[in-house]
Amino acid sequence: MPASTFGPPATCALGRAARELGLSRDEFDLAVQLGRIRTVPGGSGGAGRRVERAEIDRLRAQDGFPEALQEQVRVVGTAQGAALMGIPAGRFTRLARLGLLAPVAFHLNRYRTVVWLYMARELRDFTSDAENARLLKGRTPETLRGLLEAGVDLRARNWRGRRLGFLLRRAGDPWARAGAVAAFLAPVEVADIVRDPNERACLNRALPAPPAHGVPGSPAAHLAERLMTAQDTDEIEWLRSELTRAIEEARALPPARRPAGRGAGPGARRTARPVAPMARTVTRTPELMARACEPGGEPALRASERCGDGPAVRPPSPSAARDRRPGQGPHRRARGLRGWLRRREPRPVRA
């Protein structure tokens, strides 16, 4: 018997990998998005992605594990980030709104307010750069103050850019890349580019799952959906051009051109055919029989039977058919040798 039968599995689930690496699930997901942890497809059957045992062993063998790995994915909010950079929280927010500090994630508090999260490592790198010293102390430059007075806020846009990069790195085919781009466009924009219903069906199947924030349909979920959708004109135009290019590449794949169904290829999954409702049995009343005897009356009778006019008769159950005895209603004549012998028996003569 091979040793691999009782040996450790080659891959493990994401939750177990996070526990073995000393990370919370949010930290683990962020490490996957940043490319710190490599995952592999879980195989057929929609098992999701998994982590190879060799990848876990590689991370555990690094120097300073697990503190070094935890520090690479540590995120901070506005107050903690400002304290880390040694600046007031108001200046930190202004730098983030100008797009100089890009958030990596967000969550909604109990008041449904967006709380942006930033990589602690990136904030330290920004502070240590000598070119950014004038932004951390002193008066904000006039051009940047004008953008702030105009209401510029690039935090959501920068987060969408990081999210799109993660989805494109994980995409394995042109349809998945097209779905990653379409996830940041409004449905009306996608419908304007992808007009073929079959191609739109393929695109909808390739759409990635949105970040889970609240119950679907709740105000928190709607707010997260709005943050996921591009708002600026130049961002929308760039995404539209990227989606157009991705769709053109996906059209070169004949197997993925049509949805799974009849004529979609030998390996396509068949879709269930709609089953027509059972025709209703109609009792042939004397009036219907009289019309059937008239010239041209039989087609009308059949049409009435097909449409189900008249009272419906419930078909007898199998148990009722078995319990039926001669003399308790119409029954079929027995077939075979047994029926032939029964018909040959002499009937008793009544005195």
Side-chain angles (χ1 to χ4, degrees):
M1 184 174 294
S4 59
T5 305
F6 299 98
T11 61
C12 63
L14 302 183
R16 180 174 179 178
R19 291 191 300 269
E20 294 191 12
L21 295 175
L23 301 175
S24 65
R25 188 54 190 267
D26 293 338
E27 293 175 341
F28 180 85
D29 294 340
L30 181 58
V32 173
Q33 294 183 22
L34 297 176
R36 301 291 187 270
I37 302 176
R38 295 188 295 265
T39 60
V40 295
S44 59
R49 302 189 69 85
R50 299 175 67 86
V51 181
E52 292 182 342
R53 177 60 55 181
E55 177 70 6
I56 297 177
D57 297 339
R58 181 187 68 85
L59 295 171
R60 293 174 64 92
Q62 293 180 352
D63 296 336
F65 176 84
E67 290 78 9
L69 181 60
Q70 294 172 354
E71 185 61 26
Q72 291 179 3
V73 295
R74 187 166 75 95
V75 295
V76 294
T78 300
Q80 295 176 334
L84 183 63
M85 300 177 65
I87 59 176
R91 183 180 289 268
F92 183 93
T93 302
R94 289 193 294 270
L95 294 177
R97 288 179 57 188
L98 291 169
L100 300 175
L101 304 176
V104 71
F106 74 92
H107 68 84
L108 307 177
N109 59 14
R110 59 179 178 177
Y111 304 107
R112 292 200 294 271
T113 302
V114 181
V115 178
W116 295 105
L117 302 176
Y118 306 84
M119 296 292 301
R121 179 177 53 84
E122 294 179 356
L123 298 182
R124 285 194 297 267
D125 295 341
F126 186 90
T127 306
S128 61
D129 193 349
E131 297 181 358
N132 300 326
R134 60 187 182 89
L135 299 174
L136 301 177
K137 296 181 181 179
R139 188 176 180 83
T140 305
E142 186 67 27
T143 55
L144 299 183
R145 288 203 307 269
L147 294 176
L148 292 173
E149 292 174 358
V152 171
D153 191 351
L154 301 178
R155 290 175 291 184
R157 179 170 178 171
N158 285 338
W159 172 79
R160 287 192 293 267
R162 302 188 79 154
R163 175 77 177 174
L164 176 59
F166 160 67
L167 295 176
L168 290 177
R169 286 193 302 269
R170 197 177 63 176
D173 56 79
W175 281 114
R177 289 191 290 272
V181 177
F184 298 91
L185 286 172
V188 63
E189 301 287 348
V190 177
D192 185 46
I193 298 174
V194 188
R195 299 179 180 273
D196 187 356
N198 297 312
E199 293 180 350
R200 198 154 54 242
C202 294
L203 184 63
N204 291 334
R205 289 197 300 271
L207 286 175
H213 290 280
V215 181
S218 63
H222 287 303
L223 179 57
E225 183 180 358
R226 186 164 68 249
L227 292 176
M228 188 79 176
T229 307
Q231 304 293 334
D232 301 331
T233 304
D234 56 341
E235 182 185 8
I236 294 175
E237 292 299 327
W238 179 78
L239 290 173
R240 285 175 59 96
S241 63
E242 289 295 316
L243 179 59
T244 302
R245 183 173 61 85
I247 288 295
E248 291 177 355
E249 295 178 358
R251 285 170 180 161
L253 301 177
R257 178 67 184 272
R258 299 291 177 181
R262 297 178 59 186
R269 181 175 55 186
R270 288 191 173 184
T271 55
R273 296 183 180 180
V275 180
M278 182 180 297
R280 300 176 64 187
T281 306
V282 181
T283 304
R284 295 199 175 194
T285 59
E287 292 79 5
L288 291 177
M289 296 299 295
R291 285 193 303 168
C293 296
E294 298 176 359
E298 183 62 24
L301 177 62
R302 292 176 181 174
S304 65
E305 291 179 355
R306 289 196 302 268
C307 298
D309 300 333
V313 179
R314 177 176 297 180
S317 61
S319 59
R322 288 194 304 266
D323 297 340
R324 180 171 293 171
R325 297 291 187 269
Q328 295 182 355
H331 61 279
R332 293 185 178 182
R333 178 180 296 179
R335 297 180 179 180
L337 179 61
R338 186 176 179 182
W340 181 80
L341 293 175
R342 183 175 298 174
R343 291 195 299 271
R344 298 281 297 180
E345 292 179 356
R347 296 185 178 180
V349 181
R350 294 182 179 179

XYZ file of all heavy atoms in Angstrom, residues 160-229:
522
model
N -10.067 50.412 -5.081
C -10.545 49.640 -6.235
C -9.384 49.233 -7.129
O -9.370 48.127 -7.686
C -11.573 50.462 -7.032
C -12.916 50.595 -6.361
C -13.963 51.151 -7.319
N -13.679 52.522 -7.692
C -14.162 53.596 -7.064
N -14.948 53.442 -6.007
N -13.872 54.814 -7.465
N -8.397 50.110 -7.283
C -7.243 49.754 -8.095
C -6.465 48.587 -7.513
O -6.032 47.691 -8.250
N -6.298 48.560 -6.181
C -5.595 47.440 -5.563
C -6.415 46.161 -5.663
O -5.877 45.080 -5.889
C -5.281 47.763 -4.108
C -4.464 48.995 -3.918
C -4.006 49.177 -2.498
N -2.867 48.323 -2.205
C -1.959 48.584 -1.278
N -2.055 49.690 -0.556
N -0.968 47.769 -1.055
N -7.695 46.283 -5.483
C -8.574 45.120 -5.584
C -8.570 44.548 -7.000
O -8.542 43.323 -7.194
C -9.988 45.522 -5.167
C -11.047 44.446 -5.325
C -10.967 43.430 -4.237
N -12.032 42.437 -4.350
C -12.119 41.364 -3.579
N -11.209 41.153 -2.639
N -13.095 40.509 -3.734
N -8.589 45.408 -8.002
C -8.567 44.938 -9.391
C -7.258 44.225 -9.691
O -7.245 43.197 -10.385
C -8.770 46.114 -10.338
C -8.680 45.808 -11.834
C -9.708 44.767 -12.246
C -8.853 47.077 -12.655
N -6.148 44.748 -9.181
C -4.877 44.076 -9.397
C -4.855 42.673 -8.810
O -4.324 41.731 -9.431
N -5.460 42.500 -7.638
C -5.522 41.170 -7.035
C -6.372 40.230 -7.871
O -5.991 39.075 -8.117
C -6.084 41.283 -5.618
C -6.625 40.002 -5.079
C -5.795 38.922 -4.810
C -7.992 39.852 -4.843
C -6.300 37.733 -4.330
C -8.495 38.666 -4.366
C -7.650 37.609 -4.109
N -7.516 40.698 -8.358
C -8.387 39.833 -9.146
C -7.748 39.464 -10.478
O -7.914 38.338 -10.957
C -9.731 40.536 -9.377
C -10.581 40.790 -8.125
C -11.835 41.565 -8.486
C -10.932 39.490 -7.426
N -7.007 40.383 -11.081
C -6.359 40.074 -12.350
C -5.212 39.086 -12.159
O -4.979 38.234 -13.027
C -5.840 41.360 -12.995
C -6.907 42.321 -13.530
C -6.259 43.583 -14.073
C -7.767 41.653 -14.589
N -4.513 39.164 -11.046
C -3.451 38.190 -10.803
C -4.007 36.795 -10.594
O -3.371 35.792 -10.952
C -2.632 38.608 -9.573
C -1.700 39.782 -9.811
C -0.704 39.916 -8.670
N -1.362 40.085 -7.388
C -1.681 41.254 -6.859
N -1.413 42.370 -7.526
N -2.260 41.326 -5.676
N -5.198 36.690 -10.033
C -5.784 35.383 -9.769
C -6.548 34.837 -10.961
O -6.872 33.645 -11.006
C -6.703 35.475 -8.545
C -7.050 34.141 -7.927
C -7.884 34.316 -6.690
N -9.170 34.933 -6.952
C -10.110 35.119 -6.033
N -9.889 34.753 -4.789
N -11.251 35.696 -6.340
N -6.868 35.676 -11.954
C -7.648 35.227 -13.109
C -6.828 34.249 -13.934
O -5.645 34.466 -14.189
C -8.074 36.422 -13.960
N -7.483 33.182 -14.374
C -6.787 32.143 -15.112
C -7.100 32.083 -16.584
O -6.446 31.340 -17.321
N -8.087 32.842 -17.074
C -8.447 32.811 -18.488
C -9.023 34.166 -18.865
O -9.319 34.994 -17.992
C -9.459 31.691 -18.768
C -10.704 31.805 -17.909
O -11.574 32.630 -18.231
O -10.786 31.097 -16.886
N -9.198 34.450 -20.150
C -9.721 35.762 -20.564
C -11.097 36.089 -20.010
O -11.382 37.247 -19.710
C -9.736 35.659 -22.102
C -8.673 34.673 -22.418
C -8.714 33.666 -21.305
N -11.966 35.088 -19.861
C -13.286 35.374 -19.300
C -13.176 35.799 -17.847
O -13.906 36.685 -17.392
C -14.192 34.157 -19.441
C -14.780 33.992 -20.804
C -14.534 32.997 -21.693
C -15.717 34.869 -21.444
N -15.246 33.197 -22.845
C -15.982 34.330 -22.727
C -16.337 36.048 -21.061
C -16.855 34.938 -23.624
C -17.214 36.658 -21.962
C -17.464 36.098 -23.223
N -12.268 35.187 -17.076
C -12.073 35.596 -15.688
C -11.503 37.004 -15.609
O -11.886 37.796 -14.733
C -11.156 34.600 -14.972
N -10.601 37.363 -16.525
C -10.078 38.726 -16.538
C -11.158 39.729 -16.916
O -11.227 40.825 -16.348
C -8.895 38.806 -17.509
C -7.650 38.085 -16.999
C -6.440 38.422 -17.844
N -6.518 37.829 -19.168
C -6.084 36.614 -19.462
N -5.551 35.846 -18.524
N -6.172 36.138 -20.689
N -12.004 39.360 -17.868
C -13.114 40.249 -18.223
C -14.086 40.410 -17.067
O -14.599 41.510 -16.807
C -13.839 39.714 -19.458
N -14.347 39.326 -16.336
C -15.225 39.430 -15.173
C -14.627 40.290 -14.075
O -15.356 41.009 -13.373
N -13.306 40.241 -13.894
C -12.661 41.077 -12.882
C -12.821 42.557 -13.200
O -13.074 43.378 -12.313
C -11.185 40.708 -12.769
N -12.700 42.911 -14.474
C -12.862 44.318 -14.862
C -14.330 44.733 -14.762
O -14.652 45.832 -14.291
C -12.320 44.529 -16.285
C -12.540 45.968 -16.736
C -10.829 44.194 -16.328
N -15.236 43.860 -15.198
C -16.661 44.195 -15.175
C -17.199 44.341 -13.762
O -18.235 44.986 -13.563
C -17.460 43.130 -15.922
N -16.537 43.763 -12.764
C -17.021 43.857 -11.386
C -16.991 45.283 -10.856
O -17.686 45.594 -9.881
C -16.184 42.952 -10.478
N -16.222 46.174 -11.488
C -16.103 47.553 -11.016
C -16.894 48.533 -11.870
O -16.770 49.745 -11.670
C -14.619 47.963 -10.998
C -13.786 47.144 -10.058
C -13.149 45.996 -10.506
C -13.661 47.499 -8.737
C -12.395 45.224 -9.648
C -12.911 46.734 -7.863
C -12.272 45.596 -8.320
N -17.691 48.035 -12.788
C -18.534 48.870 -13.629
C -19.997 48.658 -13.282
O -20.394 47.577 -12.849
C -18.305 48.557 -15.111
C -16.996 49.065 -15.739
C -16.835 48.497 -17.134
C -16.964 50.590 -15.773
N -20.793 49.687 -13.495
C -22.236 49.567 -13.295
C -22.822 48.621 -14.338
O -22.289 48.501 -15.448
C -22.892 50.940 -13.378
N -23.917 47.926 -14.011
C -24.508 46.996 -15.000
C -24.867 47.653 -16.316
O -24.774 47.021 -17.375
C -25.748 46.460 -14.263
C -25.419 46.614 -12.806
C -24.595 47.855 -12.709
N -25.285 48.925 -16.287
C -25.646 49.589 -17.547
C -24.413 49.788 -18.419
O -24.502 49.711 -19.655
C -26.347 50.933 -17.241
C -25.414 51.886 -16.506
C -26.878 51.568 -18.509
N -23.248 50.020 -17.814
C -22.027 50.160 -18.596
C -21.624 48.826 -19.225
O -21.192 48.775 -20.384
C -20.899 50.678 -17.700
C -21.170 52.016 -17.042
C -21.103 53.167 -18.015
O -20.622 52.954 -19.151
O -21.538 54.281 -17.663
N -21.768 47.743 -18.465
C -21.419 46.424 -18.988
C -22.355 46.039 -20.126
O -21.919 45.506 -21.160
C -21.456 45.380 -17.858
C -21.177 43.984 -18.388
C -20.450 45.737 -16.769
N -23.655 46.310 -19.962
C -24.612 45.970 -21.015
C -24.371 46.774 -22.282
O -24.663 46.306 -23.389
C -26.033 46.190 -20.503
N -23.830 47.980 -22.144
C -23.550 48.795 -23.316
C -22.367 48.253 -24.109
O -22.293 48.427 -25.331
C -23.267 50.231 -22.882
C -23.094 51.163 -24.068
O -23.908 51.095 -25.002
O -22.130 51.954 -24.070
N -21.443 47.573 -23.438
C -20.267 47.023 -24.124
C -20.533 45.609 -24.613
O -20.224 45.271 -25.752
C -19.051 47.056 -23.174
C -18.729 48.507 -22.797
C -17.850 46.382 -23.809
C -17.648 48.626 -21.767
N -21.111 44.780 -23.771
C -21.379 43.372 -24.102
C -22.858 43.260 -24.442
O -23.710 43.115 -23.571
C -21.004 42.447 -22.926
C -21.087 40.988 -23.341
C -19.614 42.766 -22.404
N -23.174 43.323 -25.711
C -24.574 43.320 -26.150
C -25.100 41.916 -26.428
O -26.308 41.714 -26.431
C -24.729 44.190 -27.406
C -24.338 45.654 -27.170
C -24.481 46.464 -28.442
N -24.124 47.859 -28.241
C -24.971 48.798 -27.821
N -26.227 48.470 -27.595
N -24.573 50.034 -27.657
N -24.225 40.969 -26.692
C -24.658 39.606 -26.980
C -25.121 38.948 -25.680
O -24.365 38.894 -24.699
C -23.496 38.822 -27.579
C -23.923 37.444 -28.066
O -25.097 37.082 -27.866
O -23.090 36.722 -28.629
N -26.358 38.439 -25.605
C -26.819 37.805 -24.359
C -25.996 36.599 -23.954
O -25.787 36.362 -22.766
C -28.279 37.416 -24.679
C -28.671 38.287 -25.828
C -27.423 38.507 -26.616
N -25.507 35.817 -24.932
C -24.696 34.652 -24.595
C -23.361 35.059 -23.990
O -22.897 34.464 -23.016
C -24.473 33.794 -25.841
C -25.773 33.237 -26.392
O -26.579 32.697 -25.664
N -25.980 33.395 -27.690
N -22.740 36.078 -24.553
C -21.486 36.565 -23.985
C -21.709 37.189 -22.616
O -20.879 37.048 -21.716
C -20.850 37.586 -24.925
C -20.377 37.001 -26.237
C -19.759 38.027 -27.153
O -19.879 39.232 -26.839
O -19.163 37.638 -28.164
N -22.833 37.859 -22.437
C -23.125 38.448 -21.126
C -23.367 37.366 -20.092
O -23.029 37.526 -18.914
C -24.328 39.383 -21.235
C -24.439 40.348 -20.069
C -25.185 41.609 -20.440
N -26.488 41.337 -21.005
C -26.837 41.673 -22.233
N -25.975 42.273 -23.031
N -28.044 41.409 -22.692
N -23.946 36.231 -20.509
C -24.130 35.121 -19.578
C -22.786 34.534 -19.158
O -22.570 34.221 -17.979
C -25.014 34.048 -20.207
N -21.868 34.373 -20.115
C -20.517 33.900 -19.774
C -19.816 34.877 -18.844
O -19.105 34.474 -17.921
C -19.703 33.682 -21.041
S -20.298 32.349 -22.111
N -20.018 36.165 -19.075
C -19.382 37.182 -18.242
C -19.953 37.169 -16.833
O -19.216 37.327 -15.845
C -19.546 38.557 -18.884
C -18.857 39.723 -18.194
C -17.350 39.538 -18.205
C -19.236 41.037 -18.871
N -21.251 36.973 -16.711
C -21.865 36.933 -15.380
C -21.375 35.745 -14.569
O -21.222 35.850 -13.343
C -23.391 36.898 -15.512
C -23.960 38.199 -16.046
O -23.363 39.262 -15.892
N -25.117 38.124 -16.684
N -21.125 34.611 -15.237
C -20.601 33.468 -14.516
C -19.161 33.691 -14.061
O -18.707 33.061 -13.098
C -20.677 32.210 -15.385
C -22.088 31.699 -15.599
C -22.048 30.255 -16.101
N -21.323 30.164 -17.361
C -21.885 30.311 -18.557
N -23.181 30.582 -18.651
N -21.160 30.193 -19.666
N -18.438 34.577 -14.740
C -17.036 34.843 -14.393
C -16.878 35.976 -13.398
O -15.752 36.264 -12.988
C -16.233 35.155 -15.660
N -17.960 36.636 -13.006
C -17.851 37.754 -12.057
C -17.367 37.245 -10.708
O -17.887 36.263 -10.179
C -19.198 38.448 -11.897
C -19.665 39.338 -13.043
C -21.066 39.857 -12.774
C -18.696 40.504 -13.257
N -16.380 37.898 -10.098
C -15.916 37.466 -8.770
C -16.912 37.848 -7.689
O -17.729 38.761 -7.869
C -14.580 38.211 -8.604
C -14.747 39.441 -9.442
C -15.600 39.033 -10.620
N -16.858 37.171 -6.594
C -17.740 37.469 -5.475
C -17.337 38.805 -4.847
O -16.155 39.054 -4.613
C -17.669 36.364 -4.428
N -18.296 39.688 -4.576
C -17.953 40.983 -3.970
C -17.548 40.804 -2.514
O -17.865 39.786 -1.887
C -19.254 41.782 -4.101
C -20.329 40.744 -4.112
C -19.745 39.542 -4.802
N -16.837 41.754 -1.947
C -16.491 41.672 -0.521
C -17.756 41.625 0.327
O -18.718 42.374 0.102
C -15.680 42.949 -0.269
C -15.193 43.370 -1.617
C -16.239 42.933 -2.598
N -17.775 40.729 1.284
C -18.950 40.532 2.131
C -18.981 41.602 3.211
O -18.081 41.683 4.047
C -18.931 39.141 2.761
N -20.001 42.442 3.160
C -20.210 43.463 4.183
C -21.706 43.533 4.456
O -22.461 44.116 3.683
C -19.689 44.833 3.732
C -18.191 44.904 3.644
N -17.390 45.081 4.752
C -17.361 44.809 2.586
C -16.118 45.109 4.375
N -16.081 44.940 3.071
N -22.130 42.930 5.541
C -23.538 42.956 5.894
C -24.346 41.934 5.129
O -23.874 41.259 4.206
N -25.606 41.829 5.495
C -26.533 40.909 4.846
C -26.851 41.426 3.439
O -26.995 42.645 3.246
C -27.819 40.767 5.688
C -28.796 39.795 5.038
C -27.475 40.336 7.101
N -26.920 40.552 2.427
C -27.275 41.024 1.086
C -28.584 41.791 1.086
O -29.587 41.352 1.630
C -27.369 39.722 0.271
C -26.481 38.758 1.002
C -26.602 39.107 2.457
N -28.557 42.960 0.457
C -29.729 43.823 0.409
C -29.822 44.824 1.550
O -30.699 45.691 1.530
N -28.947 44.741 2.530
C -28.960 45.659 3.657
C -28.295 46.975 3.267
O -27.586 47.067 2.265
C -28.237 45.029 4.850
O -26.878 44.794 4.551
N -28.499 48.049 4.048
C -27.821 49.315 3.732
C -26.311 49.187 3.705
O -25.634 49.837 2.889
C -28.291 50.246 4.858
C -29.611 49.693 5.290
C -29.476 48.204 5.147
N -25.751 48.361 4.593
C -24.298 48.173 4.578
C -23.841 47.519 3.285
O -22.804 47.883 2.710
C -23.875 47.338 5.788
N -24.608 46.536 2.793
C -24.247 45.878 1.532
C -24.346 46.846 0.360
O -23.513 46.817 -0.561
C -25.138 44.660 1.307
N -25.360 47.723 0.357
C -25.490 48.714 -0.711
C -24.331 49.709 -0.680
O -23.833 50.137 -1.729
C -26.822 49.443 -0.591
C -28.005 48.609 -0.983
N -28.123 48.008 -2.222
C -29.135 48.270 -0.301
C -29.265 47.328 -2.290
N -29.892 47.472 -1.140
N -23.899 50.096 0.524
C -22.772 51.004 0.636
C -21.494 50.359 0.112
O -20.709 50.988 -0.612
C -22.591 51.434 2.091
C -21.418 52.380 2.386
C -21.527 53.640 1.566
C -21.352 52.695 3.871
N -21.278 49.091 0.447
C -20.104 48.392 -0.068
C -20.167 48.240 -1.586
O -19.141 48.345 -2.276
C -19.989 47.024 0.602
N -21.355 48.021 -2.122
C -21.502 47.920 -3.572
C -21.197 49.247 -4.249
O -20.598 49.284 -5.332
C -22.918 47.463 -3.919
C -23.171 47.260 -5.403
C -24.582 46.804 -5.691
O -25.353 46.608 -4.723
O -24.917 46.655 -6.880
N -21.584 50.353 -3.621
C -21.280 51.655 -4.197
C -19.773 51.933 -4.181
O -19.228 52.518 -5.128
C -22.026 52.749 -3.428
C -21.860 54.116 -4.068
C -22.887 55.111 -3.556
N -22.673 55.437 -2.164
C -23.472 55.070 -1.171
N -24.546 54.332 -1.434
N -23.229 55.409 0.073
N -19.090 51.506 -3.126
C -17.639 51.672 -3.090
C -16.955 50.796 -4.135
O -15.868 51.125 -4.608
C -17.109 51.323 -1.692
C -17.502 52.269 -0.563
C -16.999 51.736 0.774
C -16.956 53.666 -0.809
N -17.567 49.687 -4.490
C -17.007 48.756 -5.473
C -17.168 49.266 -6.901
O -16.457 48.828 -7.806
C -17.689 47.400 -5.321
C -17.082 46.283 -6.144
S -15.599 45.618 -5.406
C -15.256 44.272 -6.553
N -18.079 50.203 -7.138
C -18.392 50.674 -8.481
C -17.632 51.954 -8.776
O -17.581 52.861 -7.940
C -19.904 50.921 -8.627
O -20.610 49.736 -8.220
C -20.262 51.243 -10.052
